[in-house]
């Protein structure tokens, strides 16, 4: 099992450009998440998908959109990148939603720089 | 609202020293509590967890006890190694959905 995979690993964009971050999991998990990690801020939730076909906003959704393509894949799109979106982005997944104590499994991250 | 507060780093220790990283939380209800570890250049991985009061999570020599009366989940290890150098995150989950993370504590263990 590969677990949670993310592409690309690194990306540099210019302000105003768009891009999509890809995430896939092979653990048959129902729930998937996108976080961003910034120095001194910990991880903050951007969007999550409790199950296939549903998505919900997290703490910092502005400037992002998501698509739960199928049970395996959950993509994050930046329509018009801004320097404030320079960050490391992590995708995660977990088992049945609402199960107390569900562990989240994280991908290796995408380091994004917006110039 | 729900939040997690953990001690700020960086924490620098000599090999074989005792480690404590403090973590306290605020929450409605009874959250599950977690410690995640992030090694340089990698994603987060679960270190240990506890799902109810007085539970003790343990893994790789690390321990943390869910203390409802003090709303704390402090991470401890009796003898740290150089390979424990990483960033440690305390987190809580109330519903099994997304986690609330602390800001992370960087640990550097020197030989």
């Amino acid at each position: 099992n590969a677990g949670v995979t993310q592409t690309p690993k690194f990306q540099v964009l210019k302000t105003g450009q768009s891009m999509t971050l890809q995430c896939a999991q092979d653990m048959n998990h129902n729930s998937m998440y996108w976080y961003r990690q910034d120095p001194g801020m910990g991880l903050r939730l951007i969007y999550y998908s409790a199950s296939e076909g549903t998505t919900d906003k997290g703490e910092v959704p502005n400037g992002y959109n998501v698509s739960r393509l199928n049970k395996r894949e959950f993509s994050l799109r930046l329509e018009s990148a801004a320097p404030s979106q320079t960050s490391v982005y992590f995708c995660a997944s977990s088992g049945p939603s609402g199960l107390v104590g569900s562990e989240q499994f994280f991908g290796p991250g995408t380091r994004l720089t917006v110039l | 609202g729900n939040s997690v507060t953990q001690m700020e780093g960086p924490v620098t220790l000599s090999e074989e020293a005792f480690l404590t990283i403090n973590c306290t939380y605020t929450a409605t209800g009874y959250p599950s509590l977690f410690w995640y570890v992030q090694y340089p250049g990698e994603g987060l991985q679960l270190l240990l967890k506890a799902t109810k009061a007085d539970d003790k999570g343990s893994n790789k020599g690390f321990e943390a006890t869910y203390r409802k009366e003090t709303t704390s989940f402090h991470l401890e290890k009796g003898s740290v190694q150089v390979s424990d150098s990483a960033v440690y995150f305390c987190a809580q989950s109330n519903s099994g959905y997304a986690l609330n993370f602390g800001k992370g504590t960087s640990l550097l263990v020197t030989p």
Side-chain angles (χ1 to χ4, degrees), chain A residues 20-88:
Chain A
T20 300
L21 282 64
Q22 306 287 354
C23 173
Q25 52 90 10
D26 62 1
M27 296 173 282
N28 201 34
H29 283 165
N30 286 336
S31 302
M32 298 185 72
Y33 314 83
W34 277 105
Y35 294 90
R36 60 178 288 173
Q37 183 180 29
D38 302 292
M41 298 294 291
L43 276 76
R44 293 181 292 170
L45 182 68
I46 304 171
Y47 271 93
Y48 69 98
S49 171
S51 60
E52 187 179 355
T54 69
T55 61
D56 287 285
K57 295 179 180 179
E59 181 184 355
V60 287
N62 291 344
Y64 305 95
N65 286 300
V66 291
S67 295
R68 184 74 183 267
L69 304 170
N70 48 54
K71 191 170 187 178
R72 289 187 64 247
E73 298 172 287
F74 188 39
S75 63
L76 178 72
R77 182 160 178 84
L78 287 69
E79 290 290 351
S80 178
S84 61
Q85 294 178 304
T86 294
S87 188
V88 181

Side-chain angles (χ1 to χ4, degrees), chain B residues 8-24:
Chain B
E8 296 196 15
V11 174
T12 303
L13 295 173
S14 298
E15 203 164 24
E16 299 183 1
F18 184 86
L19 169 71
T20 300
I21 301 178
N22 290 337
C23 172
T24 57

Side-chain angles (χ1 to χ4, degrees), chain B residues 5-85:
Chain B
T5 302
Q6 61 183 105
M7 63 187 287
E8 296 196 15
V11 174
T12 303
L13 295 173
S14 298
E15 203 164 24
E16 299 183 1
F18 184 86
L19 169 71
T20 300
I21 301 178
N22 290 337
C23 172
T24 57
Y25 67 90
T26 61
T28 54
Y30 304 100
S32 295
L33 301 173
F34 305 83
W35 277 101
Y36 279 81
V37 59
Q38 184 179 31
Y39 298 104
E42 299 183 9
L44 279 72
Q45 53 186 276
L46 181 68
L47 181 59
L48 53 83
K49 71 178 185 182
T51 58
K52 61 183 187 297
D54 300 325
D55 267 2
K56 176 184 282 188
S58 61
N59 186 26
K60 300 181 181 179
F62 291 89
E63 294 183 339
T65 301
Y66 189 140
R67 302 285 188 200
K68 180 184 164 192
E69 63 276 12
T70 55
T71 61
S72 64
F73 193 55
H74 305 322
L75 182 69
E76 296 182 335
K77 186 175 185 181
S79 176
V80 294
Q81 305 300 312
V82 171
S83 57
D84 293 327
S85 298

